[in-house]
Amino acid sequence: MSYFSDIYKGIKTLLTGMSVTGGYFIRARKGVITQQYPNNRETLKMFDRFRGEVVMPHDADNRHYCTGCQSCEIACPNGSIEIIWDRVVDPATGKKKKIIDKHIYHLSMCTMCGLCIEACPTDAIVWAQNFENSVYDRSALTKVLNQPGSSVLDGIED
Amino acid sequence: MNFLQMNIPLNITKTISDWIFSIMPETAANYTIMVVIAVAYLALFAVAGLYLVLLERKVAAWFQLRIGPNRVGPWGLLQTMADALKLVSKELTSTIKIDKFLYNLAPYFVIVSALMAMAVFPFSKQFQAFDINIGLFFLIAISSIGVIGILLAGWSSNNKFALIGAMRSGLQTISYELSVGLSILTMVLLTGTLQLSEIIEVQRTGGWLILQGHVPSIIAFMIFMVAGTAETNRAPFDLVEAESELGAGFHTEYSGMKFAYFFLAEFINMFIIASIAVVLFFGGWLSPFGITENITWFPEVIWFIIKVLGLIFLMMWFRWTFPRLRVDQLLTLEWKYLLPLNLMNIMLMAIVIWLNWTI
């Protein structure tokens, strides 16, 4: 009589499922698992691998790691990164050297694919964890990543 | 007007009806009272439907360890009011190649049939608009009309998703109507009457019907809840408006207030199914163990509402637990399992009553 045992099994498994969800329903009082975002804006910390936007970290002396090799610009599939660079004479060695003038990043075109960060040989650009990226004007989404007056850290090319 | 036994001797309405009878001739007064009751029920159940939507959202949130709507009003109590206002103020858009007349008619079929069924429920001893002796039959008949609205909506939208959804609804309602009817019939064997107020009177002395009829009653209750959930097109039987397959099913092309009618009708239908179950199995407005039977001022409607909310919670629990059925699984469940079980159950109930094994 597999007919009746099927019915029995069916009811039993349905009740098992309902007990699972019912347990969740009862435990829902103890706390929610979702972030109450605008309320916990001060304390909310995004996880490490979150891809907010591309930033270029600078140290205390306003130095960055970008050598201007343009690997990121080549790696970017949709032209979100433009690097305006220049050649100057390195005073220490007397040789000509490539430096970046502006590392321009179009957040409005970026798909957060991360290819630029993988391509960077010196880890000059990294992901930031901020997510409040909305602005009132589209031009505000075009960012210059290197701070004004910053320069590349010595010896990073080696 | 003799065939309409308007049975509303609530104190407030009695005062109003006396006053109406005193200022106009009898026929006009009867019609006026009907209109007043209709408007009152419309307002009451539109608001009740809105709050059921809110309850559904809250319960869903708690099942998924979320908070749910909590911004509009205290604890989000005004959220669905705000949604309804938004839907009222929205433009009614439609596609070019619709069948205009049927397209506009369909939402009214659905909402009117849902609201009509509310008329016969005895919410308390006095609070019943329309106490006819074929109450249950009337309920089954009315609740089947709603599917015509769904079929019309799907057909007139001129949209393949809407049409598929509507056809699924037709198939589902025709199949599960049998189970609803037969499980109600099982209980009618026990009550011996179709009049809802009489059914409750039967339970006043003999205990709730789910206890009176013990095993066959419990089986009938389970079948009724499964088939009733299917009848209201709710998950896990929501293949009528399966979002992941059909967009929104039969109401894909509807917007604004017409969409809101479909939405509201779904929740009022849920209330209707829960109310039928409460009247048939859990004693309607009767208090458990008769604890408030001797307190004359106690509003019995509270017991009715508590029981209905309990059953509605059960249906919401189904919704947030079980995955959607495929069409063939839906039909297998009905024709291979529920229907034969139901027929066996009727035999069992007949034997129980014949041998006087009722409690």
Side-chain angles (χ1 to χ4, degrees):
Chain A
M1 291 295 273
S2 72
Y3 180 77
F4 287 103
S5 70
D6 278 355
I7 293 171
Y8 173 73
K9 252 186 257 167
I11 292 173
K12 199 180 146 195
T13 47
L14 289 180
L15 289 179
T16 311
M18 284 180 74
S19 71
V20 171
T21 48
Y24 276 116
F25 181 79
I26 292 163
R27 285 195 295 278
R29 292 286 126 354
K30 287 187 182 166
V32 291
I33 56 167
T34 47
Q35 298 289 342
Q36 304 307 306
Y37 161 56
N39 297 343
N40 66 354
R41 196 173 179 176
E42 281 74 34
T43 57
L44 179 63
K45 185 104 175 67
M46 293 306 284
F47 40 95
D48 291 338
R49 286 166 64 184
F50 180 76
R51 296 175 173 188
E53 61 172 318
V54 175
V55 293
M56 185 179 285
H58 289 65
D59 65 8
D61 302 328
N62 207 11
R63 300 287 186 95
H64 56 77
Y65 303 146
C66 182
T67 60
C69 71
Q70 291 178 293
S71 293
C72 51
E73 189 175 0
I74 294 161
C76 185
N78 51 3
S80 302
I81 293 174
E82 284 175 67
I83 296 174
I84 300 172
W85 52 275
D86 202 1
R87 280 189 199 281
V88 293
V89 178
D90 192 348
T93 57
K95 288 177 183 170
K96 275 195 169 177
K97 181 188 166 187
K98 198 172 169 186
I99 60 158
I100 56 168
D101 185 24
K102 277 180 180 169
H103 189 293
I104 298 168
Y105 168 56
H106 299 280
L107 178 57
S108 53
M109 295 201 286
C110 183
T111 60
M112 314 288 168
C113 69
L115 291 177
C116 54
I117 286 161
E118 279 174 34
C120 186
T122 56
D123 291 337
I125 47 177
V126 295
W127 285 117
Q129 269 74 42
N130 69 322
F131 52 91
E132 295 180 334
N133 287 333
S134 54
V135 289
Y136 284 104
D137 186 32
R138 193 166 55 185
S139 62
L141 291 171
T142 301
K143 299 178 178 183
V144 179
L145 293 189
N146 56 326
Q147 289 168 8
S150 63
S151 59
V152 67
L153 193 70
D154 294 333
I156 198 74
E157 291 98 334
D158 311 326
Chain B
M1 299 306 295
N2 289 331
F3 64 96
L4 288 178
Q5 302 276 320
M6 303 307 280
N7 178 19
I8 320 128
L10 269 180
N11 285 333
I12 304 166
T13 47
K14 184 123 181 96
T15 326
I16 295 173
S17 71
D18 285 347
W19 176 69
I20 289 173
F21 271 105
S22 68
I23 57 168
M24 48 176 92
E26 197 182 340
T27 320
N30 270 326
Y31 279 111
T32 315
I33 285 171
M34 275 185 219
V35 169
V36 166
I37 291 168
V39 169
Y41 264 58
L42 199 64
L44 194 64
F45 288 104
V47 173
L50 284 181
Y51 276 95
L52 278 181
V53 176
L54 183 69
L55 185 72
E56 164 98 49
R57 290 178 65 178
K58 277 286 188 189
V59 168
W62 289 332
F63 271 120
Q64 298 171 340
L65 301 184
R66 294 185 284 114
I67 285 183
N70 64 349
R71 296 281 154 186
V72 188
W75 306 290
L77 281 178
L78 300 176
Q79 176 69 51
T80 45
M81 292 283 183
D83 290 348
L85 275 180
K86 185 201 77 173
L87 285 172
V88 171
S89 62
K90 272 198 158 186
E91 186 191 354
L92 294 168
T93 58
S94 58
T95 49
I96 298 166
K97 290 193 173 179
I98 54 166
D99 186 330
K100 273 244 158 53
F101 177 69
L102 295 182
Y103 178 85
N104 292 327
L105 186 68
Y108 298 100
F109 253 106
V110 176
I111 189 86
V112 167
S113 65
L115 284 168
M116 261 169 89
M118 300 310 306
V120 293
F121 284 115
F123 294 103
S124 75
K125 198 171 186 176
Q126 290 95 23
F127 187 8
Q128 183 178 14
F130 191 35
D131 190 12
I132 42 176
N133 54 0
I134 51 162
L136 275 176
F137 186 66
F138 178 80
L139 275 177
I140 298 173
I142 286 295
S143 63
S144 311
I145 291 180
V147 72
I148 295 178
I150 291 176
L151 281 172
L152 286 183
W155 172 255
S156 62
S157 296
N158 199 10
N159 175 323
K160 59 184 176 239
F161 295 128
L163 186 60
I164 293 171
M167 287 303 152
R168 284 182 181 184
S169 171
L171 142 123
Q172 185 174 329
T173 310
I174 288 168
S175 302
Y176 280 83
E177 195 70 48
L178 282 171
S179 281
V180 170
L182 283 176
S183 54
I184 287 177
L185 199 61
T186 315
M187 298 316 289
V188 169
L189 280 181
L190 196 58
T191 61
T193 173
L194 288 166
Q195 192 170 359
L196 292 176
S197 56
E198 289 290 318
I199 290 173
I200 288 172
E201 283 306 313
V202 168
Q203 304 181 61
R204 186 198 286 282
T205 47
W208 296 355
L209 285 180
I210 198 161
L211 298 175
Q212 273 192 44
H214 48 91
V215 177
S217 274
I218 290 168
I219 296 174
F221 173 65
M222 287 163 80
I223 291 172
F224 180 80
M225 284 314 279
V226 172
T229 313
E231 191 89 324
T232 52
N233 297 332
R234 283 174 60 80
F237 303 101
D238 65 339
L239 57 183
V240 174
E241 40 197 293
E243 288 93 349
S244 47
E245 301 159 23
L246 298 178
F250 62 92
H251 57 60
T252 307
E253 298 292 352
Y254 283 87
S255 65
M257 203 55 213
K258 286 179 194 159
F259 164 72
Y261 282 153
F262 283 117
F263 200 63
L264 208 57
E266 181 190 328
F267 282 86
I268 295 175
N269 278 329
M270 189 166 76
F271 190 88
I272 289 168
I273 291 293
S275 299
I276 297 176
V278 162
V279 170
L280 270 183
F281 299 97
F282 295 103
W285 44 264
L286 295 173
S287 54
F289 312 111
I291 46 177
T292 58
E293 204 164 324
N294 297 325
I295 310 172
T296 46
W297 53 266
F298 192 85
E300 290 139 334
V301 66
I302 286 177
W303 290 118
F304 192 90
I305 298 292
I306 289 173
K307 289 169 185 174
V308 165
L309 286 181
L311 288 182
I312 285 176
F313 174 72
L314 188 66
M315 291 168 84
M316 289 176 179
W317 196 350
F318 289 160
R319 173 166 185 170
W320 298 106
T321 303
F322 304 135
R324 184 184 305 136
L325 274 74
R326 263 193 339 254
V327 178
D328 62 322
Q329 290 168 336
L330 179 91
L331 292 177
T332 307
L333 176 67
E334 164 63 24
W335 294 100
K336 236 178 121 183
Y337 292 99
L338 290 187
L339 192 62
L341 275 182
N342 228 326
L343 293 171
M344 278 186 252
N345 196 33
I346 286 190
M347 292 302 293
L348 185 63
M349 181 60 103
I351 291 168
V352 162
I353 291 166
W354 181 40
L355 296 176
N356 230 348
W357 282 347
T358 53
I359 294 171

